[in-house]
Amino acid sequence: MIHRLRAIALLIFIIPGLLISVAAAAAGKAPKQAFDPDIPYEKHILPNGLTLLIHEDHKAPLVAVNVWYHVGSKDER
């Protein structure tokens, strides 16, 4: 029974994935990864140099804020 399930999984998942990869390589394009989404965003640069990247998604009532600072001795001369 286990061998039959492995054979079915091979036919359903692995072989089509390999065929898609081979077809994409033959076309000269890398296959787009499932975890590489194209996310639309707006980019604003404020007069003080702060860069804002804004993305709105109204699918869920959530708010997320990330602040990244590029400061410190590594950036000083």
Side-chain angles (χ1 to χ4, degrees), residues 34-48:
F35 55 85
D36 187 20
D38 184 25
I39 300 174
Y41 64 91
E42 296 176 26
K43 182 176 180 178
H44 303 281
I45 299 177
L46 300 181
N48 65 356

Side-chain angles (χ1 to χ4, degrees), residues 19-64:
L19 291 176
I20 291 170
S21 297
V22 169
K29 298 179 183 177
K32 185 167 182 167
Q33 300 294 328
F35 55 85
D36 187 20
D38 184 25
I39 300 174
Y41 64 91
E42 296 176 26
K43 182 176 180 178
H44 303 281
I45 299 177
L46 300 181
N48 65 356
L50 182 68
T51 302
L52 300 175
L53 299 176
I54 301 171
H55 167 70
E56 290 186 41
D57 186 359
H58 299 281
K59 294 177 187 171
L62 299 173
V63 174

Side-chain angles (χ1 to χ4, degrees), residues 2 7 45-46 66 76:
I2 293 174
I45 299 177
L46 300 181
N66 290 309
E76 295 177 0

